[in-house]
Amino acid sequence: MSEYLPGLAGVPATKSNISNIDGEKGILSYRGYPIEELAKNSTFEETCLLLLDGRLPTAAELSDFDEQLRDNRQVKYHIRNLMKTLPESGHPMEMLQTAVACLGMFYPGNECLTGADSCQDLDYIHNMTVKIIARMGTFVAMWEHIRNGYDPILPRHDLPYAENFLYMLNGKEPDPLLARIMDVCLILHAEHTINASTFSVLVNGSTLASPMSVIAAAIAALSGPLHGGANQKVLEMLKEIGTPDRAAAYVDKKLANKEVIWGMGHREYKTKDPRAKILQGLMAEFMADRGGNLNPMFEVAKEVEKVCEDRLAKKGVYANVDFYSGLLYSEMGIPADQFTAIFAIARSAGWLAHWREQLSDNRIFRPTQMYTGEPVRKYVPINKR
Amino acid sequence: MSEYLPGLAGVPATKSNISNIDGEKGILSYRGYPIEELAKNSTFEETCLLLLDGRLPTAAELSDFDEQLRDNRQVKYHIRNLMKTLPESGHPMEMLQTAVACLGMFYPGNECLTGADSCQDLDYIHNMTVKIIARMGTFVAMWEHIRNGYDPILPRHDLPYAENFLYMLNGKEPDPLLARIMDVCLILHAEHTINASTFSVLVNGSTLASPMSVIAAAIAALSGPLHGGANQKVLEMLKEIGTPDRAAAYVDKKLANKEVIWGMGHREYKTKDPRAKILQGLMAEFMADRGGNLNPMFEVAKEVEKVCEDRLAKKGVYANVDFYSGLLYSEMGIPADQFTAIFAIARSAGWLAHWREQLSDNRIFRPTQMYTGEPVRKYVPINKR
């Protein structure tokens, strides 16, 4: 038996072509393309296709895929009615898990995945992938209205993914800078090698469950506070600090108590998270665009970052992607408990790329355990216990 | 980096006290108690508590737990309305994943699981465990009526778990032998060490997601045809064979083509699956009770088993638990596509025991990958592809 490593830390669970992290140099690449180049030149739609197919699409392929996504934005009224049965106070991630899980009942067909050699019905895989990615944004935006007692805003066919998402959320077309920031946020969150939720895709997908079941399960993993919930926590932390002058005392107290400072540091990077650098640039652009007219949390965030850099940069701990994304989403008028759901919209692309890769060389996950329990013993009748 | 083993076969993913398999001797034990003794002496309720708490309960503890389960059988009308929005043709496992996922929105509180040291809010863990196990049977029975266009039958407080489940399903109290057979089936399926769905519980649970999210995700894993779907497949196979005289030719053709014969063999056992032996005994009892008045599939099954034993016993391949459970459920009037959902009812006990064990010494699962993709490369503008 191999060595037992808690959390399987460092244990290779798969071979993968999809993304790679060079933690020393601070490079994240999707299919070989550094995240900086994708953030600068690509769109979420193109990045999805890159992750799924393994190469940058031609103009015709991209336009075709984009059209498929637009055609699949609408959600059946049955699912709208389902959402209306859910409690308004429920967490958006649990709504999203529920909505994606039920989607599989409307689009069956995973029987085509039976058997090791016939796992590659690429038409089915592609069609289901489009159905899921296209609807993720609609689900999240719908819920924002339904939980507040309003009818959801129908998707528009004439807008790109990020722009349509903000339109469905706010009922008006976003200004171009905010639409671009959202598009970049989706690109940056689309994929990040094998973390708990992507690993969940491999494990659940390896039983040949339906893709909707598999993605709904990954949403469960991402919903956990140790995984996807950090950008929501950042905003809660900034609100708790309240004013810039209280930042230093807050940070020092947390450090003294060895408590988490949300949005700081990342296990995979020894340098600054490359995604954080990109968002920092967009935030500066956004601040310049707005002039002084900014949410007071921005000033608190700047101060927290400055204090943390002073205390932690020498240990290789810097602000990460969650630190900035939460702030930016907040400025777009998005409630903090929706941040992880937006993360899930983006990550559905990476999850589905890993699902497809898993099926291309499938083996069911069945690790083993170190049994540390009682040896075989005799049953004791209830009156003798 | 450790060696790469596809499917993590043989890699220890956890330390566990819950169950153990001795594949050479054909022993399955829960908390040290052999499955034969539990099938003979215990009930599903007692077995749940044994799995969860690690020891056989006193009479007072058992009665208290049983009462809690009975008190939690009812399902809110919001969830009944949710089920009515689902397509009748949808698979019961996807319904179950949806229903369990939404349950978390009605019962929040997983914030109490934050941080490594405070993962052990045992009251929360116990209460959520009861809420889930108690409702699993109700969900499955409700769906059988709702998908056929009828209102579900309300649970009864005066019946034990298995009996109440059959009552909700069929609208009448089951005869005592069938109730006992269902109770034993639930005991036999309640736990089976670290397979794909239980591993999914560890992975998703390690992010501190809500227990409803975690169990809904495990239902996804179990729904896959490589995992929980086998007892449904057994019945489909028997129907395909049709008459006993065609069994030998069918089996020989499958063996010649190296195709699966559903319900035969188990990776973990070199001898006959101990659960299969128990069900075989119950089936004989049931057949004697019914006299000659049996579903014709029983005769087909007996012949398939005889032929397989003749061809495969020398290789250590015998009929497994799925072979008999499908037949027995069928005789109880349960449609084949519900068999895996009944498996899930039972397994929710084991899943929740593993969830609790994971939280008692939690570390987020983050294995690694062997990156086999493109090296870092430069982005190519769309007009140059």
Side-chain angles (χ1 to χ4, degrees):
Chain A
M1 198 190 276
S2 324
E3 190 190 353
Y4 169 57
L5 296 162
L8 294 172
V11 175
T14 190
K15 292 182 182 177
S16 182
N17 292 334
I18 299 171
S19 68
N20 195 31
I21 297 168
D22 182 334
E24 296 294 334
K25 295 187 187 155
I27 299 172
L28 167 64
S29 57
Y30 296 172
R31 302 288 191 179
Y33 299 106
I35 194 68
E36 293 80 4
E37 301 213 21
L38 295 171
K40 195 170 150 202
N41 301 299
S42 190
T43 60
F44 179 57
E45 289 87 338
E46 182 181 85
T47 298
C48 287
L49 210 46
L50 170 67
L51 289 168
L52 295 165
D53 288 351
R55 58 182 177 77
L56 288 168
T58 64
E61 287 166 342
L62 178 57
S63 143
D64 193 35
F65 179 68
D66 184 22
E67 191 72 13
Q68 292 166 16
L69 284 176
R70 290 173 195 238
D71 289 346
N72 275 282
R73 277 177 192 163
Q74 285 219 55
V75 162
K76 285 178 197 276
Y77 62 75
H78 292 297
I79 299 179
R80 188 177 65 220
N81 291 340
L82 177 148
M83 283 195 194
K84 290 183 178 178
T85 68
L86 300 173
E88 297 163 4
S89 59
H91 197 281
M93 285 297 277
E94 294 187 299
M95 174 290 299
L96 197 56
Q97 188 184 0
T98 304
V100 176
C102 89
L103 200 59
M105 299 180 79
F106 293 92
Y107 303 104
N110 66 311
E111 304 77 28
C112 72
L113 302 178
T114 45
D117 293 338
S118 53
C119 282
Q120 303 202 51
D121 184 334
L122 287 178
D123 281 344
Y124 171 80
I125 290 172
H126 180 81
N127 290 340
M128 293 296 127
T129 296
V130 167
K131 280 189 199 312
I132 295 170
I133 297 176
R135 284 170 178 80
M136 294 287 288
T138 316
F139 287 151
V140 174
M142 281 173 79
W143 179 242
E144 192 51 41
H145 299 289
I146 288 176
R147 69 168 170 174
N148 284 302
Y150 297 103
D151 280 314
I153 293 169
L154 292 180
R156 271 171 53 179
H157 198 278
D158 61 324
L159 300 175
Y161 198 108
E163 210 169 329
N164 173 62
F165 173 64
L166 288 172
Y167 164 75
M168 289 190 296
L169 209 53
N170 297 320
K172 57 175 198 261
E173 289 180 34
D175 76 52
L177 179 61
L178 282 187
R180 177 65 192 154
I181 290 174
M182 178 54 75
D183 199 39
V184 173
C185 284
L186 294 178
I187 293 171
L188 298 183
H189 285 89
E191 164 62 12
H192 207 245
T193 77
I194 309 298
N195 47 34
S197 58
T198 302
F199 186 42
S200 166
V201 168
L202 305 185
V203 172
N204 290 317
S206 77
T207 73
L208 307 183
S210 86
M212 283 77 166
S213 297
V214 170
I215 299 306
I219 291 166
L222 189 66
S223 76
L226 295 190
H227 189 358
N231 50 9
Q232 172 177 352
K233 298 277 181 195
V234 168
L235 211 77
E236 289 165 6
M237 176 184 80
L238 296 178
K239 283 190 179 149
E240 190 188 334
I241 298 172
T243 52
D245 58 299
R246 295 169 58 186
Y250 179 92
V251 168
D252 287 333
K253 192 175 162 196
K254 287 279 173 188
L255 291 176
N257 293 340
K258 297 192 171 164
E259 288 178 319
V260 173
I261 303 171
W262 295 104
M264 291 293 146
H266 195 293
R267 193 151 121 178
E268 301 292 320
Y269 297 104
K270 309 279 173 241
T271 62
K272 190 159 185 173
D273 180 338
R275 301 167 299 173
K277 283 192 211 164
I278 296 165
L279 285 183
Q280 198 175 15
L282 285 173
M283 205 162 92
E285 212 179 313
F286 176 70
M287 288 166 86
D289 183 75
R290 284 290 183 279
N293 192 12
L294 283 167
N295 188 314
M297 286 308 112
F298 267 96
E299 292 303 318
V300 181
K302 271 172 66 182
E303 190 60 24
V304 169
E305 200 197 350
K306 211 181 97 190
V307 172
C308 285
E309 187 143 341
D310 179 62
R311 314 301 199 254
L312 298 169
K314 53 185 175 274
K315 295 183 182 170
V317 174
Y318 299 90
N320 63 33
V321 65
D322 299 314
F323 187 78
Y324 300 101
S325 63
L327 267 177
L328 286 164
Y329 295 154
S330 170
E331 198 58 34
M332 293 178 198
I334 302 171
D337 68 351
Q338 287 273 29
F339 295 173
T340 317
I342 297 175
F343 186 168
I345 296 172
R347 187 57 54 87
S348 67
W351 287 335
L352 285 157
H354 282 279
W355 172 63
R356 176 165 153 183
E357 189 173 72
Q358 175 67 30
L359 293 184
S360 73
D361 186 18
N362 190 50
R363 169 139 183 194
I364 192 169
F365 276 87
R366 207 203 190 286
T368 188
Q369 65 178 12
M370 298 182 70
Y371 182 65
T372 48
E374 296 285 338
V376 170
R377 51 182 168 167
K378 223 177 145 41
Y379 184 85
V380 182
I382 197 156
N383 56 1
K384 300 263 175 69
R385 291 176 202 160
Chain B
M1 197 191 274
S2 324
E3 189 190 354
Y4 169 56
L5 295 162
L8 295 171
V11 175
T14 190
K15 291 183 183 177
S16 182
N17 293 334
I18 299 171
S19 67
N20 195 31
I21 296 169
D22 181 334
E24 296 293 334
K25 294 187 187 156
I27 299 171
L28 167 65
S29 58
Y30 296 172
R31 301 289 191 178
Y33 299 107
I35 194 68
E36 293 80 5
E37 299 212 21
L38 295 171
K40 195 171 150 198
N41 301 300
S42 189
T43 59
F44 179 57
E45 289 86 338
E46 181 180 85
T47 297
C48 287
L49 210 46
L50 170 67
L51 289 169
L52 295 165
D53 288 351
R55 58 181 178 76
L56 287 168
T58 64
E61 287 166 341
L62 178 57
S63 143
D64 193 34
F65 178 67
D66 185 22
E67 192 72 12
Q68 293 166 16
L69 283 176
R70 290 172 195 240
D71 289 346
N72 274 281
R73 278 178 190 161
Q74 284 219 57
V75 163
K76 285 179 197 276
Y77 61 75
H78 293 298
I79 299 180
R80 190 177 63 220
N81 290 341
L82 177 148
M83 282 195 195
K84 290 182 179 178
T85 68
L86 299 174
E88 297 163 4
S89 58
H91 197 281
M93 285 297 277
E94 294 186 299
M95 174 288 300
L96 197 57
Q97 188 183 2
T98 304
V100 175
C102 89
L103 200 60
M105 300 180 78
F106 292 92
Y107 303 103
N110 65 311
E111 304 78 28
C112 71
L113 302 178
T114 46
D117 292 339
S118 53
C119 282
Q120 303 202 52
D121 185 334
L122 287 177
D123 282 344
Y124 170 80
I125 289 173
H126 181 80
N127 290 341
M128 294 295 128
T129 296
V130 167
K131 280 190 200 309
I132 295 170
I133 297 176
R135 283 168 178 82
M136 293 287 286
T138 316
F139 286 151
V140 174
M142 281 173 78
W143 178 242
E144 192 51 41
H145 298 290
I146 288 175
R147 70 168 168 173
N148 284 301
Y150 297 103
D151 279 316
I153 294 167
L154 292 179
R156 271 171 54 179
H157 198 277
D158 61 325
L159 300 176
Y161 198 108
E163 211 168 330
N164 173 62
F165 172 64
L166 287 172
Y167 164 75
M168 290 190 294
L169 209 52
N170 297 319
K172 56 176 199 261
E173 289 180 35
D175 77 52
L177 178 60
L178 282 188
R180 178 66 193 154
I181 290 175
M182 178 53 76
D183 198 39
V184 173
C185 285
L186 294 178
I187 293 171
L188 299 184
H189 285 89
E191 164 62 12
H192 207 245
T193 76
I194 309 298
N195 48 35
S197 59
T198 302
F199 186 42
S200 167
V201 168
L202 304 184
V203 173
N204 290 317
S206 77
T207 73
L208 306 183
S210 86
M212 282 77 167
S213 296
V214 170
I215 299 306
I219 291 167
L222 189 66
S223 76
L226 295 189
H227 189 359
N231 50 10
Q232 172 176 352
K233 298 279 182 192
V234 168
L235 211 77
E236 290 165 4
M237 175 184 80
L238 296 178
K239 284 189 180 148
E240 189 188 336
I241 298 173
T243 52
D245 59 300
R246 294 169 58 186
Y250 179 92
V251 167
D252 288 332
K253 192 176 161 196
K254 287 279 174 191
L255 291 176
N257 294 340
K258 297 192 172 165
E259 289 178 316
V260 173
I261 302 171
W262 295 104
M264 291 293 146
H266 195 294
R267 195 152 121 178
E268 301 291 321
Y269 297 104
K270 309 279 175 240
T271 62
K272 190 159 186 172
D273 179 340
R275 301 167 299 173
K277 282 191 209 162
I278 296 165
L279 285 184
Q280 196 175 18
L282 286 173
M283 204 163 92
E285 211 179 312
F286 176 70
M287 287 165 87
D289 183 77
R290 284 290 183 277
N293 193 9
L294 283 167
N295 187 313
M297 286 307 112
F298 267 96
E299 291 304 317
V300 181
K302 270 171 66 180
E303 190 60 25
V304 169
E305 200 198 350
K306 210 180 99 191
V307 172
C308 285
E309 187 143 341
D310 179 62
R311 312 306 197 252
L312 298 169
K314 53 185 175 276
K315 295 183 183 170
V317 174
Y318 299 90
N320 64 33
V321 67
D322 299 314
F323 187 77
Y324 301 102
S325 63
L327 266 177
L328 286 163
Y329 295 155
S330 169
E331 198 59 33
M332 293 178 196
I334 302 171
D337 68 351
Q338 287 273 30
F339 296 172
T340 317
I342 297 175
F343 186 168
I345 296 172
R347 187 57 55 87
S348 67
W351 287 335
L352 285 157
H354 281 278
W355 172 64
R356 175 165 155 183
E357 189 172 72
Q358 176 67 29
L359 294 184
S360 74
D361 186 19
N362 191 49
R363 168 137 186 198
I364 192 169
F365 276 87
R366 208 204 189 285
T368 187
Q369 64 178 13
M370 298 182 70
Y371 182 64
T372 49
E374 296 286 338
V376 170
R377 50 182 169 169
K378 222 175 146 41
Y379 185 84
V380 182
I382 197 156
N383 57 359
K384 298 264 175 70
R385 290 174 203 159

